[in-house]
Every structure is written in C-alpha cells, then in structure tokens.
C-alpha cells in the first residue's frame, strides 16, 4: 500500500506563531493534497499540487500556504496561526489514471492556543 | 460550483439491514466518484469508486449508483455488520483528477 507519512502527529502552537506541517510520500504519485477535518464539515481541501513546483488553491486556502519542493514532499504552512485553525490535518497523495485512489497519511492534530 | 452534499449526517441501522448514503454534486465536469471509510482515530481509506461511464458498481456487499443527469450518486451497504460502523465520505473528482472534493461525511452506527 502507498505510504504517506505526516509529521508531526500532534502539535500545539501559540496564536500568531508559525506552523509547518510536513508530508512525505514514497510512491511517486503526481498529486498531493492537504485537507482539514472538522466535525460537521468533513474533509475540506486547503491546497493541492499536481507535481513538484506546483501548488493550487483548494476550497479554503485563506491563512495557509503550501510548498511542493519535490515529488515526495508537500508542506502546509501557517504563517500566523489562529485558534480557528485548530483541526486535524490530512495529507494525501494520488495519481490520475486507471487507479485514482487517494492514500491518506495518519493525520496531524493541531491545537492553536 | 464544486460542492458535494452528503446526507444523512448520522445513520443508525440494525445489524443485517441495509444502509444508504446519498450525495449530490454541482460540477458537471466531475467524472470520478469515490467512497472512503474512516474508522475512529484512523485515516480515510477507499472502499469503492465509480466513473461517469458507469451507472452501477458492486463489490463485496457495497453497491454504488450514479445518476449523472440528476448529479447524484449513492452508496448502499447490504447486510450491515457492527464492523461497518464508521464515518463514510463521498467525493467527486473533476477532469484531470487533480481536485477531489469531499462531502461532509455520514456517521454509520450499526447496532447488534
């Protein structure tokens, strides 16, 4: 099965601080995604990428930046964290073709105090 | 629009009965519709998917129906078991597959 590794698994940040969530995939997938999961909202797309060097805005990009320096790595950056960004963040990777499965990482639980 | 609406948000059924979850989508360009299951504390995992060139797909007690005209698709779980209790998400992927938008999820509770 595809391996998607997120770090850290848990993070407590202070309001106004900078937070970087990292994601690494070892399956040479073109596409990578960052979602946040909140009760009542399901999985909401923040940013995605279709290859190294590309980042695209998802449905809720405000307050977030993304970086895809290589095929394997995709980071989510909160320059000025706010309590409203307290959530569980999932990274996923996938490849558009015959198989379109998204493989999710284990998630990062972020608390902004 | 890109929204995917999913209902119900909570579904309680008795073991052995069927469970149905419904989703609607807005983007006519959507052509790929996966369903993911998420166990408590775990990440979502694909359980079944359907492409726009199909109207029905079935695998291991799961049936997915797609009505492109109505922009509606649904998951039907037959003979539910307590192990089917989980969060279920529908999703829609557009042309090129880059953007995958999820519904808000359905918590399925199967009681013995």
């Amino acid at each position: 099965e595809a391996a998607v590794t997120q770090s850290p698994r848990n993070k407590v940040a202070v309001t106004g601080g900078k937070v970087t969530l990292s994601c690494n995939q070892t399956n040479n997938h073109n596409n990578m995604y960052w979602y946040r999961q909140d009760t009542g909202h399901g999985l909401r797309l923040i940013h995605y990428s279709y290859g190294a060097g590309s980042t695209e805005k998802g449905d809720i990009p405000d307050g977030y930046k993304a970086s895809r320096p290589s095929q394997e790595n995709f980071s989510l950056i909160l320059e000025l964290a706010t309590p409203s960004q307290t959530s569980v963040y999932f990274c996923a990777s996938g490849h558009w073709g015959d198989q379109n499965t998204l493989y999710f990482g284990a998630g990062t639980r972020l608390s902004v105090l | 629009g890109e929204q995917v609406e999913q209902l119900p948000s909570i579904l309680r059924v008795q073991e052995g009965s069927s469970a149905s979850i419904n989703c609607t989508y807005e983007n006519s360009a959507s052509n790929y519709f996966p369903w993911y299951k998420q166990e408590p504390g775990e990440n979502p995992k694909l359980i079944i998917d359907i492409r726009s060139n199909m109207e029905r797909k079935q695998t291991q007690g799961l049936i997915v129906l797609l009505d492109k005209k109505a922009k509606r698709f649904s998951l039907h779980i037959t003979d539910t078991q307590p192990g089917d209790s989980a969060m279920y998400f529908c999703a829609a992927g557009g042309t090129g597959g880059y953007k995958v938008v999820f519904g808000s999820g359905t918590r399925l509770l199967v009681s013995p």
Side-chain angles (χ1 to χ4, degrees):
Chain A
E1 184 173 305
V4 180
T5 304
Q6 291 183 233
S7 62
R9 292 295 314 279
N10 293 280
K11 174 75 177 177
V12 178
V14 295
T15 297
K18 182 177 180 178
V19 177
T20 299
L21 307 182
S22 300
C23 180
N24 175 274
Q25 55 102 358
T26 58
N27 294 282
N28 201 31
H29 287 160
N30 291 338
N31 302 340
M32 295 188 74
Y33 307 80
W34 277 106
Y35 292 90
R36 62 177 284 177
Q37 183 173 22
D38 304 286
T39 302
H41 292 282
L43 293 160
R44 291 184 290 174
L45 182 62
I46 307 170
H47 284 287
Y48 61 105
S49 166
Y50 48 85
S54 87
T55 60
E56 302 292 332
K57 293 181 179 179
D59 296 318
I60 53 165
D62 292 346
Y64 302 93
K65 290 171 55 178
S67 174
R68 183 88 181 269
S70 65
Q71 182 81 336
E72 296 79 19
N73 295 294
F74 190 38
S75 298
L76 186 69
I77 303 147
L78 291 65
E79 294 279 4
L80 295 170
T82 68
S84 65
Q85 293 175 313
T86 292
S87 186
V88 178
Y89 291 85
F90 283 100
C91 174
S93 73
H95 183 78
W96 188 254
D98 290 338
Q99 297 291 331
N100 304 117
T101 306
L102 289 188
Y103 294 91
F104 285 84
T108 295
R109 186 172 296 276
L110 173 65
S111 297
V112 182
L113 305 177
Chain B
E2 300 279 2
Q3 276 198 318
V4 176
E5 301 287 339
Q6 182 173 350
L7 290 172
S9 55
I10 299 175
L11 180 58
R12 294 184 176 89
V13 300
Q14 288 286 123
E15 180 178 358
S17 64
S18 297
S20 297
I21 303 171
N22 299 292
C23 291
T24 59
Y25 60 98
E26 296 181 350
N27 189 348
S28 299
S30 296
N31 56 10
Y32 172 65
F33 307 92
W35 288 86
Y36 285 79
K37 177 182 180 181
Q38 184 180 28
E39 309 271 8
E42 300 289 320
N43 54 6
K45 293 179 176 64
L46 180 75
I47 53 172
I48 191 170
D49 58 11
I50 190 167
R51 288 186 172 275
S52 58
N53 61 351
M54 300 176 70
E55 295 179 348
R56 174 190 170 98
K57 185 174 181 180
Q58 181 170 356
T59 179
Q60 296 180 336
L62 303 176
I63 301 170
V64 173
L65 303 176
L66 173 62
D67 182 344
K68 288 179 290 184
K69 193 172 183 179
K71 295 184 186 175
R72 184 170 56 217
F73 58 114
S74 58
L75 173 69
H76 306 273
I77 306 172
T78 60
D79 188 24
T80 54
Q81 300 298 311
D84 293 324
S85 295
M87 185 74 95
Y88 291 81
F89 293 99
C90 64
T95 302
Y98 301 140
K99 188 174 180 182
V100 182
V101 180
F102 284 78
S104 56
T106 296
R107 183 170 298 282
L108 175 63
L109 301 168
V110 181
S111 53

